[in-house]
C-alpha cells in the first residue's frame, strides 16, 4: 500500500480547474507571486505533466461548466478556490469580478455570493494619479 491520497477529481476536472485558476489570476494582467504560490499549493500534485502543458490555455466559462458544472459540490469547490486566488494578492479587480461572475453563471452558482467581494473592488486608476489635497498637506 502506498501513502498517496486519491483525488476525488478526474484529470480532466483538475486540468480545467487549474486552467480556470490561471485564467483568473491573469485576468487583471498581473500574475502576482501570492497568486502563483496559492495555485501551486492548491494544484501541485494533482496534474500530470501533459495536463500542466495543456493548462496554459485560458478556459472559458462554458468550457469550465462543461467539465465542472455537472456536480454542484465540485462547482462550489472550484468557486471557493477561485475566490481565494482572486483575493490572494490583496486586491480584487473589476476584471477578476467579471470573470468570477461569468464562471458562477456558467456553473449555475448564485452570483450574489460575490456581493461582499464587489464592495472591495480595487480600481487601479485612482492609484495611478497622486492624491490631490487642495494645498493641504497629507501629513
Amino acid at each position: 500500500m502506498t501513502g498517496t491520497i486519491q483525488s476525488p477529481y478526474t484529470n480532466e476536472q483538475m486540468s480545467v480547474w487549474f486552467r480556470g485558476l490561471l485564467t483568473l489570476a491573469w485576468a487583471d494582467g498581473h500574475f502576482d507571486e501570492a497568486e502563483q504560490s496559492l495555485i501551486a499549493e492548491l494544484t501541485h500534485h494533482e496534474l500530470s505533466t501533459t495536463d500542466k502543458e495543456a493548462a496554459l490555455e485560458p478556459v472559458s466559462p462554458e468550457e469550465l461548466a462543461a467539465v465542472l458544472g455537472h456536480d454542484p459540490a465540485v462547482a462550489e469547490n472550484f468557486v471557493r478556490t477561485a475566490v481565494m486566488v482572486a483575493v490572494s494578492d490583496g486586491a480584487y479587480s473589476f476584471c477578476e469580478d467579471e470573470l468570477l461572475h461569468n464562471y458562477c453563471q456558467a456553473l449555475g452558482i448564485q452570483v450574489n455570493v460575490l456581493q461582499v467581494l464587489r464592495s472591495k473592488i480595487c480600481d487601479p486608476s485612482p492609484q495611478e494619479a497622486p492624491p490631490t489635497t487642495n494645498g493641504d498637506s497629507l501629513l
Side-chain angles (χ1 to χ4, degrees):
M1 183 169 170
T2 63
T4 60
I5 297 173
Q6 185 69 24
S7 172
Y9 305 110
T10 66
N11 281 343
E12 181 184 29
Q13 287 173 319
M14 287 308 304
S15 178
V16 167
W17 193 308
F18 186 69
R19 289 174 53 211
L21 297 181
L22 284 175
T23 302
L24 183 63
W26 277 105
D28 61 3
H30 304 284
F31 190 29
D32 168 285
E33 188 175 312
E35 292 168 325
Q36 292 174 31
S37 235
L38 183 59
I39 291 172
E41 182 181 324
L42 291 170
T43 61
H44 182 67
H45 297 291
E46 298 292 338
L47 298 175
S48 69
T49 303
T50 303
D51 291 334
K52 286 181 183 176
E53 291 169 6
L56 298 177
E57 291 296 319
V59 67
S60 70
E62 297 76 23
E63 185 180 1
L64 188 82
V67 176
L68 301 180
H70 303 292
D71 182 342
V74 172
E76 289 173 8
N77 285 338
F78 170 78
V79 170
R80 282 186 196 100
T81 58
V83 167
M84 290 169 51
V85 168
V87 299
S88 67
D89 63 357
Y92 184 63
S93 70
F94 287 108
C95 299
E96 291 166 323
D97 180 67
E98 181 179 12
L99 185 57
L100 265 176
H101 178 84
N102 292 338
Y103 280 168
C104 284
Q105 280 189 316
L107 292 167
I109 303 229
Q110 295 287 330
V111 292
N112 60 0
V113 300
L114 301 178
Q115 289 305 323
V116 172
L117 280 178
R118 284 192 174 130
S119 69
K120 306 295 182 199
I121 288 180
C122 294
D123 182 4
S125 58
Q127 296 172 358
E128 293 172 5
T132 58
T133 61
N134 297 330
D136 295 334
S137 172
L138 291 175
L139 299 176

